[in-house]
């Protein structure tokens, strides 16, 4: 039976927009779209649409708005917080067919793409000219720019170069009432409120993005990477503190602990030393700057107890080190039947204290916890190992994950550094933010989506209605077109 | 709260009341009263930018942030700091220098401008080329809404995607969404060494060619500025000494091979050069112009025609953003601004009037076209400040 709202007449209208081949409502076809990267949660949408243009997206959203049908945008479904989890009574708008690179402007360092373009493809299209797109999530081979914009995605190199929000200069987006807006643009400082910045990281709850203009950067003259082993995560943490104290902001500083080193070794053989912790430090910039600072970094690693130190001699060695780091999540499958990826942030100086608490929790819960982090910016990714076959362990893993978030909040940090709140963490928002903070964010949501149709039920702990604010009357497009009247 | 006097006047308008809160609670109390009695509120930092936007009609309450002026926390190990909005950037950076760190912002009048004012206008200076604008550096905000309720967004960690990005929404909102109480920034280490190259140029073609080749090179200058008249390019390198020397040498080679010559400025002369750089004219108008970097030269050529050579300008050659200083009567000024906007289609450029004689600002559209996002921005203003009490009519697009 079709859910209420998404009925045959409505489906017929949608089919008219996208064409028969691009509307899916057969239960088998829907399977692929029931979950995103957070496989634990799934829901069957009323239907799945694969629009081929921004105009199609706009028409779909207009239909949804007119019939008060909720809709959820989906990029490539790699999100880890359930952001793209379908609404059972709504439609899922999959943007994978909007995958064209529209404009490359090297001289102005801009690339304009459709939202379904894969992150790494942006770099690929400008690499021949010596440029790249800086935000590099580990999923960059598979995730979409639209998803990156929605999640404000980061990556290992964001320590020096910033997150998606620092690299998006303009978007075209369809608002929840079907109006299309152009925010920002290739030029900087478009006058107006920075609603573009608010849209970035809004997890698909404010609009559907249909076009994105990105800033690209000149590839650095020199890149050097060092891998240092330490006797403890504390010693590795001390080295990081010393880099900062020495006034060095590396391009990336990543830390892995024993369990994640073992897992990575088993999975992709990066030839990491057996140690309690390794640090991967990368410097980039001009030759003289990198060489000068690299000496200091190496000296600090030795002074703070680095046992084994490898310096990548060429691009292959560098790639091998990064392969080990980037495979860390997936590699956990080698050491545990199941694992749960947590994402929290702490002020970097609290690393030792919070890791201590995580170690104690590991003992107390009996679940092994591997740790990989973006150590430069304090973004922890505890990987909680469990076995689904053992009754209760799945739930326990979740509880352990929740407790770690509590440590992050107590340390003054955040419940998410890059994976988003989604459905997964909406319950923790109230622990991090006060009622009035959340109420204020709600005001923003209501300005974009007064009818609560755009990815409802995500990010915020309790669904709220927007209430009537006597505002300037805006004619609905359907009214203007004479298709509907306000009652 | 006290009654306003002529000493409190903003562009000749004496506020009915002046509030000088010393705490967040006092800001709340002031705003609650304003909301109850429907009094309009104008927020004032040190007043360096009160002339931005259209002229004021009247002021019920002038809310000064001057007494909210502390560095709340400098977490040097984390490279972050939380600052009250009334603190001046200069004082803050003096304090942060104790650990050889700073907020890498250098807008003109940086010695007087307050953190709140800089955030509210997203104002920056030459080093934006390397470090970005306030929007790129802010990681947390605490503000009082129009109803007096205090809200926070972001936090004290550099990486954080929990909830909507209120810090960036407040940045560049010109005080029309709330009164900023504190802002938290990511900091940068102070650099060890600095050098500036000054290149005299004959025409805008040379500017385009030289700036273009520097942008396409591996050089990482902290500033890449142009100035006119006389037309010059300024290039600043800041890093460890070896890198400054190497980059400066490489840049001089590029300049030589373009048939130009560079003057190297260091030490006190360099400090002096940058302190005076970008000083506004006492009279006249100032317009913030943004264009695509490759269209900078043609924009200047257009200005030669529109302003008949009677203008000066300086700004970010690598980013396409600059400040234009103009003289003339209201009609002449407006003609230039309108002419300029014709060559800057929405998204590919803008010209916003920052400062100027009251009669000019009354008659000109200060912001220029906002584009199809304006109804959305109005909806945001409506939700945050339904009675339009905060900086009424002075938010971007006339919000
Ligand atoms: C192995 C692995 C490693 C990862 N590593 C990282 C990492 O290092 N850093 C990091 O930040 N993330 C990482 N992620 C998470 C994920 O890849 C990112 O969040 C990514 O940006 C999601 O992109 P997507 O196209 O898959 O989006 P989806 O999962 O399809 O959607 C994510 C959210 O974006 C919204 N959305 C998608 N497209 C649009 C659009 N066009 N308009 C509006 N809203 C839209 C959806 O509604 C949803 O809320 C990782 C994931 C995996 C599986």
């Amino acid at each position: 039976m079709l859910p209420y709202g998404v009925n045959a007449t409505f489906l017929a209208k949608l089919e008219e927009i996208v064409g028969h081949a691009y509307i899916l409502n057969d239960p088998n076809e829907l399977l692929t779209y029931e979950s995103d990267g957070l496989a634990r949660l799934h829901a069957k949408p009323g239907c799945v649409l694969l629009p081929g243009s921004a105009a199609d997206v706009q028409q779909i959203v207009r239909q949804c708005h007119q019939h008060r049908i909720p809709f959820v945008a989906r990029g490539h479904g790699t999100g880890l917080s359930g952001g793209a989890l379908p609404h059972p009574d709504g439609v899922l708008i999959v943007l994978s067919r909007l995958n064209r690179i529209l404009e490359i402007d090297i001289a102005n360092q801009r690339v304009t793409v459709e939202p379904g373009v894969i992150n790494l493809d942006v770099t690929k299209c400008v690499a021949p000219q010596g440029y790249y797109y800086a935000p590099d999530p580990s999923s960059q081979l598979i995730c979409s720019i639209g998803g990156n914009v929605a999640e404000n995605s980061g990556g290992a190199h964001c320590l020096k170069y910033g997150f998606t929000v620092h690299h998006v200069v303009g978007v075209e987006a369809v608002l929840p009432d079907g109006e299309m807006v152009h925010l920002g643009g290739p030029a900087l400082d478009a006058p107006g409120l920075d609603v573009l910045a608010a849209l970035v990281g809004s997890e698909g709850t404010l609009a559907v993005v249909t076009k994105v203009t990105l800033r690209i950067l000149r590839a650095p003259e020199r890149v050097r990477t060092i891998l240092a082993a330490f006797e403890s995560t504390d010693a590795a943490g001390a080295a990081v503190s010393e880099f900062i104290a020495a006034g060095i902001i590396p391009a990336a500083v990543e830390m892995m602990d024993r369990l994640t080193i073992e897992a990575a070794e088993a999975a992709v053989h990066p030839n990491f030393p057996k140690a309690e912790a390794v640090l991967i430090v990368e410097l980039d910039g001009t030759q003289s700057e990198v060489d000068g600072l690299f000496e200091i970094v190496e000296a600090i690693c030795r002074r703070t107890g680095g046992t084994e130190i490898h310096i990548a001699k060429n691009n292959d060695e560098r790639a091998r080190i990064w392969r080990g780091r980037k495979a860390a999540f997936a590699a956990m499958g080698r050491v545990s039947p199941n694992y749960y990826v947590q994402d929290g942030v702490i002020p970097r100086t609290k690393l030792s204290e919070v890791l201590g608490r995580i170690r104690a929790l590991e003992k107390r819960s009996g679940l092994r916890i591997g740790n990989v982090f973006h150590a430069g910016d304090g973004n922890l990714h505890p990987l909680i190992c469990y076995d689904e076959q053992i009754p209760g362990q799945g739930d326990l893993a979740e509880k352990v994950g929740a407790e770690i978030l509590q440590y992050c909040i107590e340390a003054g940090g955040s419940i998410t550094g890059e994976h988003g709140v989604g459905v997964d963490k909406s319950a923790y928002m109230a622990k991090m933010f006060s009622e009035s903070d959340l109420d204020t964010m709600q005001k923003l949501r209501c300005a974009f989506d007064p009818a609560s149709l755009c990815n409802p039920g995500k990010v915020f702990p309790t669904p709220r209605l927007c209430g009537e604010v006597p505002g300037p009357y805006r004619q609905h497009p359907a009214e203007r077109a004479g298709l509907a009247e306000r009652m | 709260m006290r009654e306003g006097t002529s000493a409190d006047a903003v562009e000749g308008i004496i506020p009915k009341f002046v509030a000088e809160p010393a705490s967040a609670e006092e800001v709340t109390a002031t705003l609650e009263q304003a909301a109850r009695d429907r009094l309009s509120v104008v927020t004032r930092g040190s007043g360096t930018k009160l002339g931005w936007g259209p002229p004021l009609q009247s002021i019920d309450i002038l809310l000064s942030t001057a007494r909210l002026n502390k560095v709340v926390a400098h977490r040097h190990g984390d490279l972050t700091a939380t600052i009250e909005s009334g603190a001046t950037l200069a004082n803050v950076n003096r304090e942060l220098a104790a650990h050889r760190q700073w907020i890498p912002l250098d807008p003109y009048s940086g010695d007087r401008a307050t953190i709140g004012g800089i955030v509210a206008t997203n104002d920056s200076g030459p080093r934006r080329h390397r470090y970005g604008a306030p929007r790129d550096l802010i990681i947390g905000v605490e503000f009082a809404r129009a109803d007096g309720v205090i809200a926070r967004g972001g936090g004290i960690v550099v990486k954080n995607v929990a909830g909507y990005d209120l810090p960036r929404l407040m940045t560049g909102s010109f005080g029309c969404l709330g009164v900023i109480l504190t802002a938290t920034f990511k900091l940068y280490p102070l650099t060890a060494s600095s050098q500036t190259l000054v290149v005299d140029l004959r025409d805008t073609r040379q500017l385009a060619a030289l700036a273009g080749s520097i942008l396409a090179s591996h050089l990482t200058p902290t500033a890449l500025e142009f100035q006119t008249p006389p037309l010059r390019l300024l290039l600043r390198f800041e890093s460890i000494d070896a890198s400054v020397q190497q980059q400066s040498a490489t840049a001089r080679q590029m300049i030589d091979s373009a048939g130009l010559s560079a003057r190297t400025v260091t030490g006190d002369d360099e400090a002096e050069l940058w302190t005076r750089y970008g000083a506004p004219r006492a009279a006249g108008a100032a317009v913030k112009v943004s264009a695509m970097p490759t269209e900078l030269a043609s924009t200047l050529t257009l200005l030669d025609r529109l302003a008949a050579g009677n203008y000066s300008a300086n700004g970010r050659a690598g980013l396409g953003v600059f400040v234009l200083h103009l003289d003339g009567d209201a009609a002449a000024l407006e003609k230039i601004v309108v002419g300029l906007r014709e060559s800057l289609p929405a998204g590919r450029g803008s010209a916003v009037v920052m400062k100027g004689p009251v009669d000019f600002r009354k008659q000109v559209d200060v912001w220029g076209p906002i584009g199809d996002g304006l109804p959305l921005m109005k909806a945001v203003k409506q939700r945050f400040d339904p009675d339009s009490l905060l900086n009424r009519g002075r938010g971007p697009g006339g919000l």
Side-chain angles (χ1 to χ4, degrees):
Chain A
M1 248 244 326
L2 290 170
Y4 177 73
V6 185
N7 55 26
T9 344
F10 184 63
L11 286 174
K13 281 207 177 114
L14 296 177
E15 183 168 335
E16 236 170 72
I17 299 168
V18 293
H20 181 68
Y22 297 111
I23 177 164
L24 316 177
N25 51 7
D26 177 275
N28 284 326
E29 290 177 320
L30 296 185
L31 267 179
T32 324
Y33 300 100
E34 285 185 359
S35 302
D36 59 8
L38 186 71
R40 184 159 61 75
L41 303 177
H42 40 88
K44 217 180 267 304
C47 74
V48 170
L49 300 168
L50 293 132
S53 69
D56 284 2
V57 174
Q58 184 176 25
Q59 285 197 58
I60 293 167
V61 174
R62 274 185 183 159
Q63 283 298 326
C64 290
H65 185 254
Q66 197 182 331
H67 294 91
R68 294 294 188 264
I69 304 286
F71 54 91
V72 177
R74 177 181 165 115
H76 292 315
T78 69
L80 291 171
S81 54
L85 184 73
H87 194 291
D89 301 326
V91 305
L92 187 72
I93 307 173
V94 180
L95 295 141
S96 53
R97 286 178 67 219
L98 271 78
N99 61 356
R100 282 161 291 227
I101 290 173
L102 300 172
E103 198 188 338
I104 301 173
D105 179 356
I106 294 289
N108 287 308
Q109 308 192 346
R110 298 286 186 265
V111 173
T112 300
V113 301
E114 290 185 325
V117 166
I118 286 177
N119 172 299
L120 194 60
D121 287 347
V122 178
T123 290
K124 280 190 189 153
C125 79
V126 295
Q129 286 97 328
Y131 289 79
Y132 74 113
Y133 176 60
D136 60 338
S138 303
S139 51
Q140 68 187 142
L141 271 168
I142 43 172
C143 64
S144 75
I145 291 295
N148 290 176
V149 170
E151 300 289 353
N152 189 15
S153 298
H157 291 79
C158 289
L159 176 60
K160 181 167 174 184
Y161 294 104
F163 312 99
T164 301
V165 69
H166 296 104
H167 300 273
V168 172
V169 292
V171 299
E172 174 189 271
V174 177
L175 298 180
D177 65 358
E179 288 292 308
M180 189 176 265
V181 291
H182 299 80
L183 307 174
L188 295 175
D189 296 351
L193 290 179
D194 201 346
V195 280
L196 167 60
L199 185 54
V200 177
S202 64
E203 307 194 27
T205 62
L206 297 182
V208 182
V209 172
T210 51
K211 202 193 273 184
V212 188
T213 301
L214 303 164
R215 191 164 76 100
I216 50 165
L217 301 182
R218 182 77 173 94
E221 182 177 26
R222 187 156 172 76
V223 182
R224 292 192 77 185
T225 311
I226 189 170
L227 177 84
F230 289 85
E231 278 176 354
S232 66
T233 48
D234 278 3
V240 181
S241 296
E242 292 217 14
F243 303 152
I244 303 290
I248 299 172
I249 299 189
V253 186
E254 300 285 305
M255 196 195 294
M256 294 168 68
D257 72 355
R258 194 169 51 80
L259 189 57
T260 53
I261 298 167
E262 274 172 28
E265 205 48 55
V268 296
H269 320 296
N271 206 10
F272 283 178
K274 284 200 168 39
E276 284 303 312
V278 295
L279 272 188
I280 300 166
V281 187
E282 189 157 283
L283 297 181
D284 71 10
T286 59
Q287 175 139 3
S288 47
E289 183 177 86
V290 171
D291 290 347
L293 296 179
F294 200 79
E295 260 176 46
I296 305 174
V297 165
E298 194 182 335
I300 289 173
C301 286
R302 292 191 194 282
R303 193 167 64 235
T304 50
T307 47
E308 264 183 71
I309 290 179
H310 293 279
I311 296 167
K313 285 194 231 26
N314 50 45
N315 275 341
D316 283 351
E317 289 196 19
R318 202 185 138 231
R320 182 173 53 73
I321 292 176
W322 280 110
R323 203 164 51 237
R325 165 59 187 90
K326 295 211 172 183
F329 289 6
M332 287 312 278
R334 299 291 180 129
V335 297
S336 172
N338 307 94
Y339 64 96
Y340 175 63
V341 183
Q342 189 49 288
D343 165 42
V345 191
I346 54 172
R348 218 186 29 72
T349 46
K350 300 276 173 71
L351 203 62
S352 163
E353 177 193 321
V354 173
L355 277 182
R357 295 185 77 180
I358 294 177
R359 289 280 162 255
L361 177 64
E362 187 174 28
K363 283 217 183 72
R364 196 150 32 89
S365 67
L367 297 185
R368 285 191 300 165
I369 304 174
N371 287 289
V372 279
F373 12 86
H374 306 298
D377 45 33
N379 187 190
L380 311 178
H381 288 310
L383 302 160
I384 304 156
C385 300
Y386 67 98
D387 186 348
E388 228 169 40
Q389 305 299 323
I390 302 176
Q393 275 217 340
D395 290 345
L396 181 60
E398 250 181 74
K399 278 203 194 99
V400 165
E403 182 145 352
I404 294 174
L405 288 187
Q406 188 60 39
Y407 302 163
C408 293
I409 295 170
E410 284 166 17
S414 169
I415 57 172
T416 170
E418 51 185 26
H419 296 167
V421 176
V423 228
D424 194 33
K425 292 183 178 173
S426 57
Y428 303 102
M429 284 290 279
K431 295 188 183 211
M432 181 166 161
F433 292 108
S434 74
E435 183 58 31
S436 39
D437 302 340
L438 294 175
D439 176 64
T440 306
M441 292 179 193
Q442 212 51 234
K443 286 180 187 295
L444 185 67
R445 187 180 70 87
C446 291
F448 275 82
D449 183 20
S452 294
L453 296 174
C454 194
N455 210 2
K458 310 289 172 70
V459 183
F460 296 100
T462 37
R464 292 179 224 216
L465 297 176
C466 288
E468 285 307 310
V469 166
Y473 168 72
R474 278 214 270 167
Q475 197 183 32
H476 185 270
E479 286 176 76
R480 207 176 309 148
L483 297 174
E485 278 176 332
R486 228 164 257 236
M487 283 176 279
Chain B
M1 202 133 63
R2 60 172 172 83
E3 283 188 12
T5 69
S6 58
D8 304 308
V10 178
E11 296 193 311
I13 295 178
I14 300 176
K16 290 195 191 100
F17 301 102
V18 174
E20 292 166 314
S23 67
E25 292 72 33
E26 287 177 26
V27 173
T28 294
T30 306
L31 292 176
E32 279 174 355
Q33 183 177 348
R36 212 168 31 239
D37 303 339
R38 302 229 161 186
L39 299 174
S40 67
V41 178
V42 169
T43 308
R44 179 186 199 277
S46 64
T48 61
K49 301 180 187 68
L50 278 181
W52 290 35
L56 290 156
Q57 309 292 327
S58 66
I59 307 174
D60 293 334
I61 301 177
L62 184 71
L63 190 157
S64 162
T65 58
R67 291 168 70 204
L68 299 164
N69 59 6
K70 284 185 292 298
V71 172
V72 179
H74 178 193
R75 306 169 203 90
H76 59 89
D78 295 316
L79 276 169
T80 65
T82 300
I83 325 269
E84 286 184 337
S85 58
T88 65
L89 178 65
N91 282 343
V92 170
N93 273 337
R94 257 192 296 279
E95 204 168 323
L96 303 181
H99 290 277
R100 297 202 47 75
Q101 296 177 355
W102 70 311
I103 302 174
L105 291 171
D106 56 351
Y108 184 78
S109 76
D111 55 336
R112 285 196 303 134
T114 63
I115 294 295
I118 289 170
V119 169
T121 55
N122 194 28
D123 196 18
S124 60
R127 261 97 143 231
R128 178 179 183 183
H129 182 78
R130 170 75 184 77
Y131 297 105
R135 172 198 200 271
D136 303 303
L137 300 165
I138 193 165
I139 57 171
V141 77
E142 188 186 12
F143 64 98
R145 298 192 319 212
D147 57 5
V149 171
I150 290 172
R152 276 178 323 129
I156 61 164
V157 284
V158 293
K159 194 169 186 181
N160 177 7
V161 295
Y164 294 146
D165 198 337
L166 298 178
R168 287 193 176 83
L169 180 68
M170 294 304 289
T171 306
S173 66
F174 286 78
C176 82
L177 299 181
V179 177
I180 298 171
L181 299 170
T182 71
T184 302
F185 298 91
K186 68 172 177 179
L187 307 177
Y188 276 82
L190 288 169
T191 47
S193 176
S194 174
Q195 212 173 89
T196 298
L197 301 182
V198 181
V199 190
D200 290 317
L201 303 166
R202 261 194 316 278
D203 52 40
T204 54
R205 263 215 325 269
Q206 284 186 340
L207 171 66
L210 186 56
S213 64
I214 288 163
L215 283 174
S217 76
H218 286 295
L219 297 171
T220 56
T222 51
L224 176 58
E225 293 282 305
F226 79 94
Q227 209 180 18
T228 188
L231 188 60
R232 308 195 295 180
L233 191 77
L234 295 91
L235 196 53
R236 185 173 200 178
F237 297 106
E238 294 171 279
S239 178
I240 53 173
D241 196 50
S243 175
V244 170
Q245 301 297 341
Q246 180 224 327
Q247 295 198 65
S248 173
T250 308
R252 275 189 308 250
Q253 265 169 20
M254 291 172 64
I255 293 161
D256 279 352
S257 58
L260 298 162
S261 66
R263 189 158 54 85
T264 307
V265 187
T266 57
D268 291 345
D269 293 343
E270 190 188 15
E272 167 82 10
L273 184 163
W274 288 111
T275 312
R276 279 207 318 246
Y277 182 81
R281 295 184 188 176
V287 181
K288 180 178 168 185
V289 183
S290 172
M292 298 305 292
T294 51
E295 286 157 23
L296 191 57
S298 60
T299 307
L300 291 174
T301 310
L302 172 68
L303 272 169
D304 284 336
R305 194 161 52 73
L306 289 172
N310 186 18
Y311 71 95
S312 64
N314 68 281
R316 319 300 81 89
L319 304 177
V321 179
F322 65 94
V323 180
L324 171 66
H325 304 279
L326 295 168
D327 282 319
D329 61 30
L333 291 172
E334 186 175 14
K335 215 169 136 221
I336 297 169
V337 171
V338 169
L340 195 53
R341 282 180 186 153
E342 273 166 18
S343 78
L344 300 167
R348 295 191 66 87
S350 56
V352 173
V353 175
M354 295 163 57
K355 170 178 163 291
V358 170
D359 60 340
F360 162 57
R361 279 165 42 235
K362 241 182 212 148
Q363 103 184 40
V364 73
D365 172 3
V366 167
W367 301 96
I370 304 288
D372 54 16
L374 185 59
L376 174 64
M377 294 168 197
K378 284 186 174 156
V380 174
K381 168 75 174 174
Q382 174 88 31
R383 293 278 172 181
F384 276 69
D385 180 16
D387 296 324
S388 195
L389 297 177
L390 302 179
N391 280 4
R392 177 180 295 159
R394 309 231 307 158
L399 299 182

